[in-house]
Amino acid sequence: MYRVSLLPLLALAAPLPALAQQAAPPPPSDGPDIVVLGQPLPVPPGVPAYGSVTISRDRLTGDASGRVEDVLLDVAGFQQFRRADSRSANPSAQGVTLRALGGNASSRALVLLDGVPLADPFFGYIPFNAIAADRLGGVRVTRGGGAGAFGAGAVAGTIELVSAARRDLPLLAGEAFYGSNNAQEVSASVSPNVGGGFVSLSGKFERGDGYYTTPDSQITAASVRARYRDWSGGMRAVVPLDAATEIQARGLLYRDTRTLRFAGADSSSQANDASVRLIHRGAWAIDALAYVQTRNFTNRVISATTAKLTLDQRNTPATGLGGKIELRPPVGADHVLRVGVDARLGDGTLYEDAYAASGLVTTRRTAGGKTSTLGAFVEDDWTLGRLVLTAGVRGDRWTITRGFFREANAAGSVTTQARYGDRHGFEGTGRAGALFHASDAIALRTAAYTGFRLPTLNELYRPFVVFPITTQANAALGLERLRGVEGGIDLTPVAGVTLGVTAFYNRLDGAIANVTIAPNLRQRQNVAAIVARGIELTGHAAHGALSLDASYAYSDSRVRASGRQAPLDGLIPAQSPRHTGSATLGWGRNGFGASATVRYVGDQFEDDLQTGLLPAVTTLDGVITLPVGHRVSLVARAENVLDATVLTRNAGGSIDLGTPRTLWIGVRLR
């Protein structure tokens, strides 16, 4: 078993609404700037031109599930590969995307934590179970291709998670919850000042007996509840070197285990991540960081007919390395110029054994390789009175190297051995936008962008089985390339009310999809394109202690294909709902609070041929907070209050279900 052994590293302005379209940069201040320790450089003024939205710390810590991936559903167009969260999904399926560009389990959106890419270097999934909501200060989501740092992974957009700053962190904090199906959650942190900076140590543990993801009609003697158990420990230190410079260091260690559908169908993921970041806020602003990630994944496949082990993906060690240097030279008060370079390297190897019904190993397989990107970027935001112009370009040299596949029989004799030729190339991408503040109540914006994504090592080299479907890897996969345009308007009709409307057109050429090539057999292939066009709406209203936040996305996505893939032409991509919506009504005063969240996901299909329907579903969540002492509150949470049936998978009639009604009671110390 692979073991981790190292200990592991946006400025959001004053408190933001729970979900608000940012239509304008903050107003200038007549006094000196106040630097809050632990934050990155200020967000450039042109970011809102790309339809940027933010989620506040209060919203992140106030969801019924307590999970970051569920809060991100507040953002119009956000989705994971499947509807399941990180308690009942296979970890390798937790890729994220935006704008219904099709699901294939790898992330098409770039997810950053304090500037560090979070995607697993082998699979491309996001380890959401390792992200504690109460350790975050906020989230910024920017849709569309990216040209800034690490933009090579931002095909569908960028999701920037920002750690809580000094002002957000009490000396001691903690919470403990007990929920349905014998579920327990415990987290705690201590954040003392040290010298002129601070250190924050945190830990989280959760477990649950889970629920039957299998419908009653499909339960067999081998069926079990979706048990889960995970823990994480983190450290973040912020050390000021002088009045304008600080070092931010982070470490994260986590382990997660889950059981899905059948006894023995266990998966695990574990990691050790560390990063260090230098922030300098002088005339020549600097943002430099370096990170290392060591990850592993295991997965055991149980036969639905014999209830015996058929495949043991026993070890998938992977390493990610990377870093960036970004400079902001002083080029005048009207410009924010960003120049930088970044690099990402990933390597990993899959070790798996196939078993016969007798329980003996029949085949041993090993596969893996390396990928890398080395990029340079330049971007400028130019403020001309009420008009902000923004444009950026980047160039990337990419490589896919040392790919191999080896298969041996139980005796160790090699039966198949393949080494794939190294590949490399250069990609130029860019984006441009304009933001015009027509008045204090109206802002107009437009943007165009391109982007690309390398196939992951998982897509290139790792086959997988989710009964009754086998999906083959494809070492010949090419790059995904995006072109897109959008336009929108942001309105502030009265104080406390904001509205945003965005219309978009995106074309993803060479989209990687799981393509059916025979009954119960698929292969990862590049289709000609996925074309997505639609409308996104966001709104926020606040009056006294009441607030309402809502979003809606209409996405008309279609596959463009020809030749052997011609049957896919005009079909809706797998895992791409046409309609999604979310609304949260909240009330809070003097420590008391209550909120209700309604979410709707329209019909979507499990597969490329539109044979497995996942019906539309509406869920209702609720949270009540009751203060009972100094900085102590009782919290009641309810997920899926109406116990709606949520289908997360429908493969040939083999169905998995999402979270049923789940109730929680707990205590929170702040």
Side-chain angles (χ1 to χ4, degrees):
M1 178 63 65
Y2 171 79
R3 298 181 183 273
V4 293
S5 58
L6 301 173
L7 271 182
L9 165 281
L10 278 194
L12 294 175
L16 296 166
L19 178 66
Q21 190 82 20
Q22 181 158 336
S29 171
D30 294 330
D33 292 337
I34 299 176
V35 176
V36 180
L37 287 177
Q39 294 197 108
L41 297 176
V43 175
V47 169
Y50 302 103
S52 173
V53 296
T54 59
I55 302 175
S56 73
R57 175 175 168 82
D58 287 344
R59 177 68 185 113
L60 285 166
T61 58
D63 188 71
S65 72
R67 316 193 79 78
V68 172
E69 66 267 31
D70 288 339
V71 180
L72 286 171
L73 291 170
D74 289 0
V75 178
F78 171 87
Q79 68 176 101
Q80 293 191 93
F81 176 55
R82 300 193 190 278
R83 295 173 176 179
D85 63 29
S86 55
R87 292 168 292 190
S88 61
N90 188 286
S92 64
Q94 290 195 261
V96 301
T97 190
L98 298 159
R99 291 185 168 166
L101 287 173
N104 69 347
S106 296
S107 294
R108 288 192 168 109
L110 172 66
V111 182
L112 304 171
L113 175 58
D114 294 335
V116 176
L118 279 182
D120 184 271
F122 187 95
F123 292 92
Y125 70 83
I126 307 302
F128 280 114
N129 57 332
I131 305 171
D134 62 354
R135 311 308 300 157
L136 299 178
V139 179
R140 183 180 303 276
V141 181
T142 304
R143 305 178 185 93
F150 303 116
V155 172
T158 304
I159 300 172
E160 298 169 276
L161 309 175
V162 184
S163 286
R166 171 70 278 179
R167 65 187 177 195
D168 300 319
L169 297 172
L171 175 61
L172 296 172
E175 58 185 35
F177 283 89
Y178 184 82
S180 304
N181 299 315
N182 194 29
Q184 297 125 47
E185 295 179 2
V186 179
S187 65
S189 65
V190 56
S191 305
N193 292 323
V194 177
F198 69 92
V199 173
S200 184
L201 302 173
S202 62
K204 183 183 76 168
F205 170 80
E206 61 180 359
R207 66 158 305 278
D209 292 342
Y211 61 94
Y212 284 102
T213 60
T214 308
D216 291 343
S217 61
Q218 296 183 5
I219 289 180
T220 68
S223 299
V224 295
R225 294 174 177 268
R227 296 186 295 269
Y228 65 93
R229 180 187 183 96
D230 62 76
W231 61 265
S232 64
M235 178 278 294
R236 186 169 188 247
V238 177
V239 181
L241 302 182
D242 56 40
T245 311
E246 66 185 50
I247 295 288
Q248 302 173 5
R250 166 184 293 283
L252 173 67
L253 176 68
Y254 78 88
R255 180 175 174 83
D256 166 70
T257 57
R258 310 178 199 178
T259 300
L260 303 179
R261 285 183 67 90
F262 303 119
D266 303 324
S267 67
S268 74
S269 57
Q270 55 188 10
N272 199 18
D273 296 355
S275 62
V276 61
R277 188 180 198 182
L278 171 71
I279 297 292
H280 177 68
R281 298 181 175 88
W284 278 78
I286 301 172
D287 183 353
L289 69 85
Y291 70 87
V292 58
Q293 300 165 331
T294 59
R295 307 278 180 93
N296 197 12
F297 173 80
T298 70
N299 188 59
R300 294 165 63 90
V301 179
I302 302 297
S303 169
T305 55
T306 67
K308 294 183 178 180
L309 179 66
T310 61
L311 186 67
D312 184 7
Q313 296 173 330
R314 55 186 171 83
N315 200 12
T316 317
T319 302
L321 299 170
K324 76 160 187 177
I325 299 176
E326 176 184 323
L327 304 177
R328 298 188 183 184
V331 291
D334 296 333
H335 288 268
V336 176
L337 178 64
R338 304 163 61 201
V339 180
V341 295
D342 61 69
R344 298 176 69 180
L345 300 90
D347 71 81
T349 305
L350 165 71
Y351 299 90
E352 69 175 22
D353 300 332
Y355 286 78
S358 63
L360 298 177
V361 173
T362 59
T363 306
R364 300 188 187 276
R365 304 185 188 98
T366 309
K370 295 187 176 184
T371 62
S372 72
T373 57
L374 175 62
F377 61 91
V378 57
E379 191 156 14
D380 184 55
D381 293 10
W382 186 11
T383 302
L384 299 166
R386 292 182 173 271
L387 176 65
V388 180
L389 301 176
T390 177
V393 295
R394 64 174 289 134
D396 285 273
R397 186 183 188 276
W398 60 267
T399 67
I400 300 175
T401 60
R402 300 189 181 183
F404 74 96
F405 177 86
R406 183 184 303 113
E407 189 173 81
N409 59 27
S413 299
V414 175
T415 56
T416 303
Q417 183 159 303
R419 291 197 175 274
Y420 307 108
D422 293 350
R423 293 185 280 162
H424 61 85
F426 179 86
E427 287 290 320
T429 55
R431 64 180 182 178
L435 176 67
F436 178 61
H437 300 282
S439 69
D440 292 340
I442 301 174
L444 305 173
R445 51 188 164 77
T446 185
Y449 36 77
T450 61
F452 83 99
R453 180 181 78 88
L454 286 180
T456 63
L457 296 172
N458 175 50
E459 293 167 321
L460 290 164
Y461 307 122
R462 173 186 172 259
F464 69 93
V465 179
V466 180
F467 178 82
I469 308 297
T470 296
T471 302
Q472 298 176 343
N474 184 353
L477 287 172
L479 280 60
E480 293 184 338
R481 296 176 173 88
L482 177 86
R483 293 174 290 164
V485 295
E486 63 182 71
I489 182 171
D490 300 313
L491 305 173
T492 309
V494 296
V497 177
T498 59
L499 301 170
V501 181
T502 301
F504 66 88
Y505 174 92
N506 284 182
R507 180 183 175 95
L508 184 65
D509 291 315
I512 298 172
N514 298 332
V515 177
T516 300
I517 58 177
N520 292 334
L521 181 62
R522 298 173 187 159
Q523 184 186 50
R524 297 186 182 96
Q525 296 181 5
N526 295 99
V527 299
I530 291 176
V531 175
R533 48 197 162 198
I535 296 175
E536 296 157 344
L537 308 176
T538 62
H540 169 77
H543 179 71
L546 281 173
S547 65
L548 175 65
D549 295 277
S551 69
Y552 166 77
Y554 168 78
S555 305
D556 180 17
S557 293
R558 299 288 173 175
V559 175
R560 297 290 180 259
S562 59
R564 292 184 178 181
Q565 299 174 349
L568 304 181
D569 190 56
L571 298 184
I572 299 172
Q575 307 291 339
S576 298
R578 180 166 291 187
H579 303 276
T580 60
S582 175
T584 298
L585 178 65
W587 175 88
R589 177 174 293 167
N590 299 326
F592 294 88
S595 68
T597 299
V598 177
R599 292 193 176 101
Y600 173 80
V601 180
D603 290 345
Q604 62 192 82
F605 293 98
E606 170 74 25
D607 62 323
D608 58 322
L609 296 178
Q610 298 187 185
T611 59
L613 176 66
L614 302 174
V617 63
T618 301
T619 59
L620 172 65
D621 299 339
V623 180
I624 297 176
T625 302
L626 176 67
V628 294
H630 183 59
R631 301 183 184 276
V632 179
S633 300
L634 290 177
V635 182
R637 304 176 350 208
E639 302 178 62
N640 194 2
V641 174
L642 303 179
D643 203 22
T645 300
V646 182
L647 265 67
T648 63
R649 189 182 68 92
N650 180 5
S654 176
I655 291 173
D656 282 344
L657 302 176
T659 305
R661 180 189 296 117
T662 304
L663 306 179
W664 298 87
I665 188 69
V667 61
R668 177 175 290 160
L669 167 68
R670 290 287 185 269

